[in-house]
Amino acid sequence: ILENKRLPQKILIIGAGAIGVEFAYFFNSLGAQVTLCEMATQILPIEDTEIADNLAKILAKQGIIIKTG
């Protein structure tokens, strides 16, 4: 059984698709400092640009660092 009793202080999530964004939100809500990296020019690269931009603003307000490109 995998069991971790400590929350990481910082976490880097590579890939800002739906699952990466979900993990970023989860760990941020638990108090970890999260950096979300995506090779494409926006998070959620297969989604509409307007939706991705609005979500990026919301995540940034919550303290998640987003690196794209």
Side-chain angles (χ1 to χ4, degrees):
I1 296 174
L2 295 175
E3 186 175 324
N4 188 3
K5 296 184 183 203
R6 289 185 330 157
L7 179 68
Q9 290 180 347
K10 297 179 182 181
I11 188 167
L12 171 67
I13 298 173
I14 299 173
I19 295 172
V21 169
E22 196 170 345
F23 272 107
Y25 182 82
F26 172 73
F27 279 104
N28 182 64
S29 69
L30 293 176
Q33 179 184 345
V34 178
T35 302
L36 184 60
C37 293
E38 174 58 51
M39 192 170 79
T41 58
Q42 68 180 32
I43 64 169
L44 300 174
I46 62 171
E47 300 299 330
D48 181 66
T49 302
E50 185 178 351
I51 292 170
D53 290 344
N54 285 332
L55 181 59
K57 288 176 188 173
I58 292 168
L59 294 175
K61 274 186 179 179
Q62 294 177 353
I64 296 173
I65 300 166
I66 299 172
K67 303 286 183 180
T68 58

